[in-house]
Amino acid sequence: MNIFDQDEWDRDFPPIRHDIVAVRNLAVTALAGKDVWGRSKSQPAFVSVWLFLSNQFASAAAGDVLDESTVHYGNLSKNIMEEVARHRNQNEWKTTSQLADLILDAAMRTDDRRNIIDSGKVQISYPKASMLGDGVEYCVSSALKAGAAAPRLYLKNLRVPAVIGVNSHERNLRQVVVANIWIEGVHREASDSYSLLERVVTTTLEASSFETLETLAVKIAQEVIKGFIEPVSPGAKVRVRLEKPSAVPFADAPLVEICRG
């Protein structure tokens, strides 16, 4: 399997070429991943699946029927829910990447051997798996016929008070910095290492005494490469987005975003 980061994937496998059938945010209980305390226990999850069709669903649209040119999203949802429940009933913990594979296989069964699906994307979100953020997402796009994949780990809206800014009042009082971190091309073995990623980012933010978001963003990228990518996911890239919600009164937030690797 050839591994891509998201920019490479969007360039080589643009989804705009395809008609898409998808289901977003199916609420499930997953026996996969690590909970916020790093334990291998059941946790709430949201599952989203996108199926990119090889051809347009022209006959289904023209006839206003669910025919062989499209995928029945009701059956797609049912297959996914049944697969997650079957795995949970077996009481065998899986990594998040393994669960994503099971879900993609279940989604492909909706094709019913018609070979109308060109590629797929699975996203698994754990809303309770981050101590200081809005959750964790693992997403993998798979071009089945080409044998290519683009896995990504996402730490969402991590909020940490930090010293950051050029003004005198910013030097004397910590303000909340919102960090969004993506690991592009993350290794399968690192799909559950998000507690380590959060710890690296949080420690760097708490130690900040920088004046600019630009310097802080580069520092975080450097620490993520050293403390996460090199030990558990060599060759991956990190994308860092930082926001200061309190800095500009009439804007949601100023922000900077960088990609390093």
Side-chain angles (χ1 to χ4, degrees), residues 79-259:
N79 286 353
I80 294 169
M81 296 288 282
E82 287 180 347
E83 181 62 33
V84 174
R86 183 193 64 80
H87 157 251
R88 187 176 65 249
N89 291 337
Q90 290 177 340
N91 200 31
E92 181 183 351
W93 179 85
K94 298 288 186 182
T95 66
T96 303
S97 62
Q98 289 172 334
L99 180 60
D101 289 343
L102 292 176
I103 291 171
L104 182 59
D105 288 343
M108 291 300 297
R109 289 198 293 272
T110 316
D111 193 354
D112 196 25
R113 301 182 181 178
R114 290 172 292 162
N115 296 319
I116 66 171
I117 299 175
D118 179 78
S119 56
K121 180 169 73 172
V122 175
Q123 178 180 290
I124 300 172
S125 303
Y126 299 129
K128 299 290 187 178
S130 170
M131 189 68 72
L132 297 175
D134 287 343
V136 175
E137 292 180 359
Y138 175 80
C139 182
V140 58
S141 299
S142 300
L144 308 174
K145 298 175 183 178
R152 165 192 281 175
L153 186 63
Y154 174 30
L155 184 59
K156 184 177 181 181
N157 290 335
L158 187 67
R159 297 176 179 86
V160 181
V163 175
I164 180 71
V166 299
N167 299 310
S168 59
H169 55 275
E170 293 181 301
R171 307 310 301 167
N172 296 322
L173 187 65
R174 290 177 179 266
Q175 61 182 300
V176 171
V177 176
V178 180
N180 284 273
I181 311 294
W182 295 266
I183 304 298
E184 306 279 4
V186 67
H187 289 198
R188 290 175 55 85
E189 297 79 7
S191 64
D192 295 330
S193 298
Y194 35 83
S195 292
L196 170 62
L197 177 60
E198 181 166 344
R199 187 161 61 249
V200 171
V201 176
T202 299
T203 300
T204 307
L205 282 166
E206 289 175 339
S208 170
S209 60
F210 298 116
E211 294 190 350
T212 66
L213 284 176
E214 289 83 350
T215 303
L216 179 56
V218 170
K219 177 63 173 177
I220 289 174
Q222 291 171 342
E223 293 301 313
V224 169
I225 290 171
K226 181 174 66 175
F228 181 88
I229 289 178
E230 289 180 352
V232 302
S233 190
K237 296 180 181 178
V238 56
R239 186 178 300 275
V240 178
R241 178 187 297 161
L242 298 182
E243 304 178 39
K244 291 202 304 182
S246 302
V248 179
F250 294 99
D252 286 342
L255 66 86
V256 302
E257 183 172 329
I258 64 171
C259 185

Side-chain angles (χ1 to χ4, degrees), residues 34-49:
K34 300 289 187 178
D35 71 3
V36 71
W37 304 106
R39 301 173 299 183
S40 303
K41 300 187 68 174
S42 294
Q43 61 179 319
F46 293 101
V47 173
S48 300
V49 174

